Amino acid sequence: MKADEEKVLILDFGSQYNQLIARRVREIGIYCEVKPFSLSFKEIEDFNPIAVILSGGPSSVYDEKSPKIDKRVFELGVPVLGICYGAQLMAHTLGGTVVPADSLASREYGRTETEFNTNSSLFGNITSKSITWMSHGDSVKQIPEGFEPIAHSAGCPYAGFENNEKRFYAVQFHPEVSHTEKGTEILRTFLVDIAKAKANWSMVNYKQTAIDAIRAKVKDGKALLALSGGVDSSVAAALMSQAIGENLTCVFVDHGLMRKDEGDQVEQIFSSYKLNFVRVNAQELFLDKLSGVSEPEKKRKIIGEEFIRVFEQEAKKIGKVDFLVQGTIYPDVIESGLGSNAAVIKSHHNVGGLPDYVDFKEIIEPLRYLFKDEVRQLGRELGLPEYLVSRQPFPGPGLAIRIIGDITKEKLDVLREADWIFRSEIENAAVKDASQYFAVLTNTRSVGVMGDGRTYEYTLALRCVSTSDFMTATFTRIPYELLEKISHRIVNEVPHINRVVYDITAKPPATVEWE
Ligand code: XMP
């Protein structure tokens, strides 16, 4: 980021919605970062925000140990918006009182009809009544001097209050949550009308800023990147390549567990880029290591470890490098306001962690401040093909965890063909809300009849889920006619499958993947 660019600071008090606030602000076109509430005042000043947002959080401001804020934040001369706990904290810090909600009216949770004073600066662009999302055990009983009430609900007399002269605003509800009907408009009013943001943050501008920053850091140093063919490592590779060209080496370890044609696609794209592209064909090595292994966690471990070993061997040939590039993205690095890591990267979701034997000085993470949708957008700006940037999530261990039981080359080939038919049919039919879809080769064999003969072949399971965060998911309502067509095609076109089933389990209790 350049120092003169407009930035919003979100101070996090432990809200489960901290990332959501940041995403909304970015969607409005303004760069922002989420920082723990414990940031020192000096760091806040140095960040030089055009506005500060105080997030929600699970604590009670009247508890001695609850997270507080340096009062000088209110002397920075920039607009401040408090949300939920942030609103209570603003009231508490500036001389108001906060009490348990029960003692005042009632606790509120969920969708709540709220009335707004549309003469206020904050609510000037919305209608006087709409639904907000409330989730609070405490309420403001008395607002500080100089403040006006600007919204209320049945259970909350101060659902909104402001000191317009000082540009301090507070809302008890969560404008960042989609259930708050006018939430985005309220945030936009705060940022654009009140904080006078230009709101021109976009991946078009970001691309050049990022390239300049990488050049300034790497200079004529050498960088090494492990390319998996997934969205993040591909976008990181394309960005680094535009910044430092042939000083970048990308090692693509083909473990033979990718989907149909994916290995060749990765090679085709990146061998035409200005960079050193190395493809290691390690299919046989991985098959060998996995031979006879049917326990899911063991498969994952073997693949993770082997991946690192192969990458290290290749890196050794290159010799000392200055930088190791990682495709880490923002949700992985946001620290929670309450100290621990809000987004602990699920260990099994990493292919192997960091290599021990690669000789490098520093790690460089060019996507560190981007959300996934921004990474995809940046990929488009960098000219990567759409099928690559809009790729659905694909587990690092690949098809190995979509073959139940032991893995053989034949099973991989069967699964690749069936999976390809399923995916292309879903895409051709543009099935609504299909977030992730794939085939699973089970180890169940059953009797069937084909032509005049009896068959005894594998059962294939189809999995298609609708989800926004992959933490919870429902099965996608694929029309029966389409399921029928897919099943018919698979049984007829792919040998060794004589039965197709559709997985109709939600997550929880099931997971998205079968292993
Ligand atoms: P589960 O199966 O845990 O999957 O419900 C949630 C999301 O995570 C992906 N997933 C993985 N991604 N390495 C990865 O990189 C893995 O080992 C792994 N396991 C699951 C899964 O595809 C889904 O999107």
Side-chain angles (χ1 to χ4, degrees):
M1 287 305 302
K2 280 190 254 152
D4 59 346
E5 260 171 273
E6 57 183 25
K7 292 178 284 187
V8 167
L9 176 63
I10 298 162
L11 284 179
D12 180 35
F13 292 89
S15 165
Q16 54 174 323
Y17 301 127
N18 63 5
Q19 292 197 22
L20 217 45
I21 305 176
R23 295 194 51 175
R24 294 284 171 266
V25 175
R26 299 262 186 109
E27 279 160 19
I28 293 169
I30 303 157
Y31 182 75
C32 63
E33 286 182 30
V34 180
K35 301 272 192 190
F37 75 91
S38 52
L39 209 64
S40 72
F41 181 66
K42 167 93 176 51
E43 287 168 312
I44 294 175
E45 264 186 317
D46 290 349
F47 188 85
N48 194 21
I50 61 157
V52 177
I53 296 178
L54 313 176
S55 90
S59 321
S60 286
V61 287
Y62 46 79
D63 268 2
E64 246 170 58
K65 289 201 199 98
S66 66
K68 298 289 182 330
I69 189 173
D70 192 313
K71 214 173 171 175
R72 287 173 291 175
V73 169
F74 297 101
E75 292 155 18
L76 284 169
V78 301
V80 183
L81 173 68
I83 296 174
C84 193
Y85 180 82
Q88 296 161 9
L89 188 65
M90 184 186 286
H92 179 82
T93 312
L94 300 177
T97 26
V98 177
V99 293
D102 312 354
S103 68
L104 205 59
S106 58
R107 293 160 69 98
E108 285 176 309
Y109 187 81
R111 296 161 60 84
T112 307
E113 181 146 318
T114 308
E115 280 191 49
F116 302 95
N117 175 355
T118 55
N119 292 324
S120 71
S121 299
L122 192 61
F123 303 134
N125 296 323
I126 61 170
T127 47
S128 60
K129 262 191 199 167
S130 60
I131 298 294
T132 64
W133 183 259
M134 294 275 192
S135 168
H136 61 110
D138 288 344
S139 279
V140 173
K141 185 178 176 198
Q142 197 188 346
I143 53 178
E145 221 180 285
F147 278 75
E148 296 285 328
I150 53 172
H152 66 270
S153 64
C156 186
Y158 299 115
F161 46 96
E162 70 176 19
N163 180 333
N164 196 36
E165 199 189 312
K166 297 211 160 129
R167 298 190 296 169
F168 300 152
Y169 305 84
V171 289
Q172 182 54 67
F173 55 87
H174 288 273
E176 70 277 22
V177 172
S178 60
H179 303 289
T180 295
E181 290 171 350
K182 304 292 177 195
T184 303
E185 280 87 337
I186 294 168
L187 287 172
R188 185 180 286 111
T189 304
F190 173 69
L191 296 164
V192 176
D193 296 354
I194 295 170
K196 306 287 178 221
K198 291 193 284 292
N200 55 5
W201 155 261
S202 74
M203 286 304 113
V204 185
N205 306 334
Y206 180 74
K207 183 177 96 175
Q208 197 52 49
T209 312
I211 289 173
D212 293 346
I214 294 166
R215 283 186 183 145
K217 182 165 184 151
V218 177
K219 302 197 179 78
D220 351 320
K222 300 241 178 293
L224 176 67
L225 182 150
L227 186 64
S228 72
V231 180
D232 303 339
S233 70
S234 298
V235 174
L239 181 66
M240 291 296 296
S241 137
Q242 289 209 8
I244 63 165
E246 276 151 16
N247 281 342
L248 172 71
T249 301
C250 287
V251 174
F252 166 48
V253 177
D254 186 351
H255 50 25
L257 306 167
M258 297 184 84
R259 290 169 293 192
K260 187 171 159 130
D261 297 333
E262 271 180 352
D264 295 341
Q265 286 169 353
V266 172
E267 175 163 359
Q268 196 198 351
I269 296 167
F270 287 99
S271 53
S272 69
Y273 268 68
K274 205 168 163 236
L275 51 81
N276 296 306
F277 177 82
V278 182
R279 175 175 182 171
V280 189
N281 289 314
Q283 294 93 327
E284 280 179 20
L285 174 81
F286 277 84
L287 265 182
D288 197 37
K289 295 276 176 192
L290 288 167
S291 159
V293 178
S294 48
E295 211 260 304
E297 283 312 304
K298 208 160 170 207
K299 286 181 187 173
R300 277 199 163 84
K301 205 155 176 273
I302 291 172
I303 295 164
E305 280 172 8
E306 223 34 55
F307 185 90
I308 290 288
R309 296 289 91 85
V310 176
F311 179 67
E312 280 174 349
Q313 273 171 17
E314 222 38 56
K316 267 194 199 141
K317 292 186 197 157
I318 300 161
K320 188 172 168 51
V321 292
D322 303 283
F323 297 94
L324 183 70
V325 188
Q326 296 254 297
T328 325
I329 67 172
Y330 201 39
D332 299 335
V333 297
I334 293 188
E335 268 182 79
S336 156
L338 298 184
S340 62
N341 255 349
V344 177
I345 310 165
K346 293 183 209 144
S347 56
H348 74 273
H349 286 187
N350 278 333
V351 184
L354 273 185
D356 303 330
Y357 300 107
V358 177
D359 199 2
F360 65 95
K361 280 197 302 213
E362 216 182 309
I363 288 180
I364 183 165
E365 297 173 313
L367 311 177
R368 191 181 166 81
Y369 290 105
L370 302 184
F371 285 108
K372 192 81 178 190
D373 47 342
E374 294 171 327
V375 173
R376 293 189 206 276
Q377 197 50 39
L378 180 61
R380 291 185 188 104
E381 292 305 324
L382 289 160
L384 287 172
E386 188 56 37
Y387 70 79
L388 204 158
V389 293
S390 56
R391 214 164 243 184
Q392 48 176 297
F394 184 63
L399 299 184
I401 58 163
R402 293 180 181 170
I403 292 176
I404 312 302
D406 67 323
I407 298 158
T408 63
K409 164 120 186 22
E410 291 66 38
K411 286 184 181 174
L412 278 166
D413 289 341
V414 166
L415 177 57
R416 260 193 274 269
E417 282 309 311
D419 179 69
W420 184 78
I421 292 174
F422 180 45
R423 285 189 294 125
S424 37
E425 287 293 342
I426 294 286
E427 279 156 27
N428 286 343
V431 172
K432 221 171 127 253
D433 297 330
S435 314
Q436 190 176 8
Y437 40 95
F438 53 86
V440 175
L441 188 64
T442 74
N443 55 356
T444 296
R445 290 205 284 168
S446 72
V447 174
V449 53
M450 241 182 162
D452 293 330
R454 173 188 184 276
T455 58
Y456 188 59
E457 301 283 15
Y458 285 105
T459 300
L460 185 90
L462 305 176
R463 182 73 162 143
C464 181
V465 294
S466 302
T467 173
S468 58
D469 57 9
F470 296 93
M471 306 293 280
T472 62
T474 56
F475 75 91
T476 307
R477 271 54 175 175
I478 302 176
Y480 282 168
E481 296 69 26
L482 183 59
L483 282 172
E484 183 177 24
K485 181 179 176 202
I486 293 165
S487 147
H488 185 80
R489 271 196 68 190
I490 290 174
V491 172
N492 280 283
E493 293 175 35
V494 186
H496 306 301
I497 295 176
N498 68 352
R499 195 176 291 271
V500 177
V501 297
Y502 185 45
D503 181 348
I504 53 166
T505 340
K507 173 184 178 177
T511 51
V512 175
E513 302 288 346
W514 274 40
E515 286 201 335

